[in-house]
Amino acid sequence: MKYLDDVGQLGSDLDRRKSADLGSASVFPEDGALRFEGRDRKGGSWRAWVPQTGGIGWTEIWAGDFDHNGQPDLLIASHFPSSGRCEGPADLVFLLFDQAGRPTPWQVSTEIPNGNKFPYLPAILIDVNGDGRAEIVSTACAYGDQSPGHWTDWSITGIYEARDAQWIPLRSANLGPYLQAATRANAVKTWLPIKPSEWPDQLVGFNAPANITLERLMPPDERCHGVINLTVVDGRVVAPVNDPCDELKYPHASYSDGRTRRGWPPVVIDGPHGREIFIANNKVALRRVIEKRYRVKLLGDDAEPSWLWAEETQAVVPLP
């Protein structure tokens, strides 16, 4: 893995560059976000919009062939320093390139292994089985119960391997070597129980056809913002069961299969001339998907999708 650049200040008074050359791609500041772009093997364009973390924070770019398929991949790591007991959170966006030269996005949050150094190593990336494909160990730090020796609770939130331009959860792997790596990287001796069954798989449904459409975006109900509905039962104040605000406080979207799902997921729009990835500015992309009547597939948890993948070539033409 090779460090390329810090673009957290790109386009600001602290970094007046209009763009940064990453070799296989270029990056440009755009309306508070970063636009990455390049060309696939047929000359089609690809572009990806990701959040820009600047100020006292960093947005680092690293390169490496994480899935060992001969295509250079990108890791975009954003970190904004925090105070307290958990000081090293980072948000990672991977762009893994397939044999056609188009990126598949994947994102994860983790704790920085070596603390607030620059350039900071953004994640625990190892190759336990020696097959040349990287494995990532994502971790999380939270305030503990404040009893002696438990000021923070540390957990392993996932172990994934890069394969064929995707990150795949290794739920049945021998956890020992990964636990040892996390212990060394974070200088933590005590970990919460590891629960591989709870590790999310963001790309479930990747090979499924795009056969539904996005119909409507439903913002959170303003009446539920910051409201906690409490009732008094037998002199005790209790929260109601099945409070409608438990769901209405979140954004939702409705689809042509008659389902309403939680969240406005990041968007990938794929077409014959290129691929566009909207992690930042995803609401603009979602409205475009509705307007153009693109067929979509939903990746990850069906009740709260991780990604909305739209096929530009399969727009639905309304009947006259």
Side-chain angles (χ1 to χ4, degrees):
M1 192 169 68
K2 178 182 178 182
Y3 172 75
L4 297 181
D5 205 345
D6 172 26
V7 293
Q9 312 288 350
L10 192 66
S12 72
D13 290 339
L14 297 176
D15 184 350
R16 296 183 179 275
R17 293 179 296 169
K18 303 294 185 182
S19 64
D21 184 1
L22 306 177
S24 61
S26 298
V27 57
F28 305 84
E30 185 176 294
D31 299 328
L34 294 169
R35 186 183 81 247
F36 292 76
E37 62 180 47
R39 294 282 178 179
D40 62 28
R41 290 190 168 274
K42 292 185 177 180
S45 66
W46 65 263
R47 296 189 293 178
W49 286 264
V50 303
Q52 182 179 25
T53 301
I56 62 172
W58 309 314
T59 303
E60 290 186 358
I61 314 298
W62 296 74
D65 184 5
F66 298 108
D67 57 352
H68 198 52
N69 69 347
Q71 310 299 315
D73 305 312
L74 292 175
L75 165 55
I76 305 158
S78 300
H79 168 58
F80 195 86
S82 60
S83 60
R85 298 181 222 132
C86 300
E87 299 179 348
D91 294 320
L92 313 182
V93 174
F94 285 89
L95 299 178
L96 299 189
F97 289 79
D98 59 23
Q99 295 295 339
R102 289 191 175 188
T104 299
W106 190 79
Q107 54 185 345
V108 69
S109 296
T110 190
E111 290 290 322
I112 299 169
N114 63 346
N116 297 337
K117 299 179 182 179
F118 184 82
Y120 66 89
L121 186 65
I124 304 170
L125 288 159
I126 53 180
D127 181 14
V128 168
N129 57 19
D131 64 359
R133 297 184 298 216
E135 296 120 40
I136 184 172
V137 183
S138 59
T139 60
C141 172
Y143 277 38
D145 59 13
Q146 299 189 24
S147 60
H150 293 279
W151 290 100
T152 54
D153 287 333
W154 284 78
S155 58
I156 291 177
T157 56
I159 300 171
Y160 299 82
E161 184 176 65
R163 303 178 193 168
D164 302 321
Q166 299 182 42
W167 286 98
I168 308 298
L170 300 181
R171 296 195 178 99
S172 61
N174 175 15
L175 301 179
Y178 302 103
L179 181 58
Q180 292 174 11
T183 299
R184 289 193 304 268
N186 296 105
V188 175
K189 295 181 179 180
T190 303
W191 296 83
L192 294 178
I194 302 174
K195 301 178 180 179
S197 62
E198 297 181 1
W199 298 343
D201 186 352
Q202 297 177 25
L203 299 179
V204 169
F206 183 82
N207 294 317
N211 55 14
I212 61 175
T213 56
L214 173 62
E215 299 296 307
R216 185 163 64 100
L217 298 179
M218 305 158 63
D221 192 322
E222 293 183 357
R223 295 170 296 179
C224 295
H225 180 69
V227 173
I228 302 177
N229 294 317
L230 301 175
T231 58
V232 178
V233 178
D234 296 330
R236 294 182 298 111
V237 178
V238 297
V241 178
N242 299 324
D243 184 351
C245 277
D246 289 345
E247 276 300 314
L248 293 177
K249 64 184 177 183
Y250 297 102
H252 288 74
S254 62
Y255 299 85
S256 61
D257 62 356
R259 296 274 307 279
T260 296
R261 296 170 172 88
R262 183 191 287 187
W264 295 351
V267 177
V268 179
I269 299 178
D270 219 13
H273 305 297
R275 177 173 294 174
E276 295 179 315
I277 299 165
F278 297 87
I279 298 173
N281 303 327
N282 68 312
K283 285 189 287 186
V284 174
L286 288 167
R287 294 189 183 102
R288 173 178 156 195
V289 168
I290 294 173
E291 178 186 355
K292 297 294 185 181
R293 303 290 294 168
Y294 294 149
R295 290 193 179 274
V296 306
K297 56 186 175 183
L298 302 173
L299 309 186
D301 185 349
D302 188 56
E304 188 174 1
S306 299
W307 299 92
L308 183 146
W309 197 289
E311 299 290 346
E312 191 177 20
T313 56
Q314 297 188 38
V316 177
V317 179
L319 295 175

